[in-house]
Amino acid sequence: GFEGAGRLERGDDLEGIVRTNGFWVPYPGLVDAVVRGIAPRDFPYANWMGYAKDTDSLIWSYWRMVLNGSHGVWWWRWDNIGRFMGLLRPDLSPPDEVAEMLEDTRITREGLGDLLLHSEMQTDGIALLYSPPSMFAAQVAEGPSYGKAAEDHAAWQQALFNLGLGFGTVTDAMLRRGELDPKTTRVLILPRTEALGEEEAHRITAFVEAGGTVIADVRPGRFTGRVKPRVAGALDALFGVDSRDSSGPVKKATVEIRWGEGQPAWRFEGMTVGSGIVASGASVRGRAGETPVLLSHAVGRGRAILLNFSLASYPRVGAAGSPPGTAELWRALLGQADAAPPLTLIRADGKPAEDLRVQRWRNGEIELVGMMREPERRPSQRELILKESDAPADFVVTLASPRWVYDLRDHRDWGRQREIRLRLSAGRATFLALLPDAAPELQASLSSEGVRLGETPELRVSLPGAAGAGAVLVTAIKPDGSEADWVRTARVIPRGETVRIPVPIALNDPSGRWVVRLKELYANRRVEIPLIVGEQGAVR
C-alpha cells in the first residue's frame, strides 16, 4: 500500500501509483478527483484527517471524502495529544468535537456509506485529462506567464462541481491504451494539456471524429510527450487553428464572447489571453480585440473547442460579482454535447450560489445526490475559515423531471416533486434519494421466534418491488433495554434479493424478550421483531 504524498502540480505519476499499490490515502487536494477517476472499483482510497481541532473543520473533512467517493475515512491518529486532534481520549471516549462530528455524519455508518460503495458515481459523460508531462511543459517557455497548470485544473473542477456535473478522469497513458470510451464519455476536457505524444493526439482526434467533443485551453500539444517543443501544435488541425506564432507574450485583456446568433455578448475582464493563434477553418465565437479567444471547429461527427485563455483567470462560476454569462458559457459549451445536469441548485434569495459541491450516484433507477457548500480553507487545506456568508441558507433544487424525493439528513419524505427547498450549511453535506416511486415497505422475519442461549437465528430482509438497492440498519435490544452492540450492522439490500443476517446470541447473554430492530434508509421506516431467548434446554 501507499499513504500520503501525491501532488498533481508536481506531475506525479498518479496512475502508476494506483496500478502498483493496493491502496492509497493521499493528502487532500486536486489529486483526489484524479484518483477516483482512474482507480478500479475495489481499490481503497481516501484522505487523511484529524489535523484540525475545531468541529467545523473535522465535519467538512469527513463529508469531503464521502462526496469524493472515498472507501472510508482515515484518521491520523486515534491517540494524538497536542498538535492534532485525537479520535479518542485516554478513557476511549471521543472528544466533544469528535463526538459532534460522529453525530453529524452518523447516517454514513447506518447504511448510506455501504450503499454509496455499491452505487455508480455519475460522470455525466465528462472526463478531464491528466497529463504528467504537461505539468512540466507548463513550466517552460512562456508557460509560467499563464499561471500554474494546477490552477487551471482547479478551475475546471470547481466549475463542474458548481454546475452540478459529475466528471471522470483519463490519463495520457490511458489514451495510449485506447481506454477513452466514446460510449461513456461525450466530452473530453484538456486543462493546460501542452505536452502530447503522437499516439495521444491521434486518439483524441479519433474521439472527435466519432462524435465526441473536446474542449482545450492554452497551447494544446505545443510540446511532444517528452516535453520537446513543436513548431506547431499537435492538435492544430483538429481545432482548426494555426499556432505556429503563438509563442509570444500573454496579455491581460477584456474578452467578448457571443455564443449564439443574435445573442448579447458576454464580457469578461482581466483575462489571461494568448497571442498568435489564427483561425484556420474554425469559427471564432469570442475575441480579445483582434485576438481570437474561443474557436469552434466541426470535425467528423464531433466538435473541437479551443479556449485561448487560462481558465484560472476566468470568473469563478457562481461567485459573488461574477459577470453575466459566467455559468451560461459552460452550459452552452457542454450542453451541445448533451452534458447537462439533471438538476439545478440555486440560492432561494437570489444571491450567487458559489463553491457548491454536488455529486451523484446511481443504482438501478435510484439516484443519490450529495450536496455541500464548500467554505474557504486555510492554505494548509486542513482548517476552514467560516464567514458570515457561510451561515445556513435556503436553496431551491429543481429536477429535470418529477421524482419521489427523500431527504436523508432530515429524514423527510417530500413525495413526488420536481422542485424542493433545502437549507444547506457550509461544510455539512445533505443527501437526497431520488426514486421513481415511493420506497417499498421493508419486509423482515426471523428464522425462529425463540432460541436457546448460544444459538444464532437468521434475519431475512428484503425490499419487494424496489427500483434499486436499499440499505437497512439492524440493532438488537436486550431484555433490560440496552443495545447488544455486537449485533449492530448496516447492510445493503440488492434489488430483488433477500439478505440473510445472523443475530448471534452468546451462552452468557440474558434470557427473556429481545427485540430486533430494523431501520430502512430512504423512508426511515422502522420494523421491530420480538425474539424470545431461553435458558439452555428451554426455548419457549
Side-chain angles (χ1 to χ4, degrees):
F2 187 65
E3 65 86 18
R7 286 292 181 267
L8 180 144
E9 60 268 22
R10 294 192 308 226
D12 290 352
D13 184 2
L14 306 180
E15 185 186 0
I17 295 174
V18 168
R19 295 187 182 275
T20 302
N21 293 280
F23 74 94
W24 193 11
V25 187
Y27 300 117
L30 296 174
V31 69
D32 300 329
V34 180
V35 174
R36 78 172 191 192
I38 63 179
R41 287 293 300 274
D42 59 351
F43 180 87
Y45 66 90
N47 294 127
W48 289 105
M49 67 172 293
Y51 303 104
K53 290 190 172 184
D54 64 287
T55 301
D56 291 321
S57 296
L58 295 175
I59 292 175
W60 164 78
S61 296
Y62 187 111
W63 281 122
R64 182 183 179 279
M65 279 183 258
V66 173
L67 289 175
N68 199 53
S70 297
H71 290 69
V73 173
W74 288 51
W75 194 285
W76 181 267
R77 347 184 329 178
W78 71 270
D79 60 348
N80 271 318
I81 299 175
R83 182 181 176 190
F84 301 131
M85 171 63 74
L87 182 65
L88 299 174
R89 295 187 177 113
D91 65 357
L92 303 186
S93 66
D96 293 344
E97 296 85 351
V98 176
E100 187 173 342
M101 180 209 72
L102 293 173
E103 177 59 28
D104 190 88
T105 60
R106 179 162 50 91
I107 191 174
T108 64
R109 298 177 299 282
E110 294 186 349
L112 175 61
D114 297 89
L115 189 61
L116 293 178
L117 291 178
H118 283 79
S119 302
E120 188 77 30
M121 292 189 78
Q122 299 300 287
T123 65
D124 294 315
I126 301 171
L128 269 64
L129 176 66
Y130 171 60
S131 164
S134 292
M135 307 308 289
F136 295 101
Q139 300 176 47
V140 299
E142 70 275 14
S145 62
Y146 287 97
K148 297 179 179 178
E151 294 173 349
D152 267 38
H153 278 265
W156 275 112
Q157 290 186 19
Q158 185 274 331
L160 294 172
F161 282 138
N162 216 78
L163 290 169
L165 288 162
F167 59 90
T169 301
V170 295
T171 66
D172 48 0
M174 293 169 68
L175 282 179
R176 290 192 294 271
R177 294 194 299 266
E179 295 178 11
L180 179 61
D181 186 356
K183 295 180 181 177
T184 57
T185 303
R186 297 186 298 276
V187 180
L188 177 63
I189 296 174
L190 313 181
R192 291 293 295 272
T193 307
E194 303 184 28
L196 280 173
E198 293 296 334
E199 182 62 25
E200 296 97 286
H202 170 74
R203 297 282 187 177
I204 293 171
T205 300
F207 169 76
V208 175
E209 290 174 342
T213 295
V214 165
I215 305 175
D217 61 359
V218 183
R219 309 192 306 169
R222 285 304 311 276
F223 298 83
T224 70
R226 299 186 65 83
V227 198
K228 180 179 179 180
R230 284 191 170 103
V231 175
L235 296 177
D236 277 9
L238 177 65
F239 288 105
V241 300
D242 184 343
S243 66
R244 285 175 293 182
D245 296 325
S246 64
S247 59
V250 302
K251 60 182 179 181
K252 291 288 185 180
T254 296
V255 167
E256 287 195 357
I257 296 174
R258 193 184 305 274
W259 182 252
E261 294 294 333
Q263 298 295 319
W266 295 320
R267 289 173 55 89
F268 308 109
E269 299 179 355
M271 300 284 286
T272 301
V273 176
S275 61
I277 290 288
V278 177
S280 178
S283 59
V284 178
R285 301 291 186 91
R287 295 182 181 274
E290 295 300 317
T291 303
V293 294
L294 195 157
L295 303 101
S296 179
H297 189 218
V299 179
R301 299 199 303 272
R303 184 168 296 275
I305 298 170
L306 178 61
L307 310 176
N308 186 28
F309 56 80
S310 166
L311 200 72
S313 67
Y314 187 81
R316 287 176 68 85
V317 174
S322 291
T326 300
E328 288 77 5
L329 174 60
W330 301 135
R331 293 194 181 104
L333 293 177
L334 297 168
Q336 66 177 2
D338 295 326
L343 60 85
T344 58
L345 185 62
I346 61 173
R347 282 185 64 128
D349 59 9
K351 293 181 180 179
E354 58 184 314
D355 291 331
L356 290 174
R357 180 72 179 265
V358 181
Q359 183 60 57
R360 308 190 323 281
W361 291 257
R362 177 176 290 277
N363 68 76
E365 301 173 62
I366 298 175
E367 194 162 36
L368 300 167
V369 183
M371 299 168 286
M372 183 173 71
R373 295 167 59 198
E374 283 274 19
E376 185 180 349
R377 299 181 294 282
R378 299 187 190 281
S380 67
Q381 297 282 314
R382 294 172 176 174
E383 295 177 323
L384 304 184
I385 304 174
L386 292 180
K387 300 171 292 187
E388 183 178 345
S389 59
D390 290 319
D394 289 337
F395 283 73
V396 176
V397 180
T398 304
L399 308 178
S401 60
R403 303 275 282 173
W404 203 286
V405 181
Y406 293 99
D407 184 335
L408 304 185
R409 171 179 277 274
D410 293 336
H411 304 299
R412 178 170 180 177
D413 180 350
W414 283 90
R416 186 181 300 280
Q417 300 288 341
R418 189 170 184 268
E419 183 177 284
I420 62 171
R421 189 183 183 107
L422 295 175
R423 173 150 291 194
L424 300 181
S425 299
R428 286 166 164 78
T430 290
F431 271 83
L432 301 178
L434 310 180
L435 284 67
D437 293 295
E441 295 285 344
L442 184 69
Q443 301 294 315
S445 63
L446 282 167
S447 57
S448 177
E449 296 178 356
V451 296
R452 297 181 178 89
L453 293 174
E455 294 184 341
T456 301
E458 185 179 72
L459 179 66
R460 301 184 182 96
V461 187
S462 64
L463 287 165
V472 63
L473 175 69
V474 178
T475 56
I477 307 302
K478 296 181 288 187
D480 65 358
S482 62
E483 182 183 336
D485 55 7
W486 58 89
V487 176
R488 173 179 283 260
T489 183
R491 298 292 294 272
V492 172
I493 313 299
R495 184 178 189 178
E497 295 185 19
T498 297
V499 172
R500 290 170 167 78
I501 304 170
V503 183
I505 304 297
L507 290 170
N508 62 342
D509 272 336
S511 301
R513 186 180 187 275
W514 290 51
V515 176
V516 177
R517 291 178 175 170
L518 300 93
K519 183 172 69 171
E520 186 266 336
L521 177 66
Y522 298 141
N524 200 39
R525 298 192 187 102
R526 300 162 191 253
V527 173
E528 293 192 350
I529 305 173
L531 175 64
I532 306 302
V533 176
E535 301 286 350
Q536 281 284 70
V539 179
R540 295 175 178 83

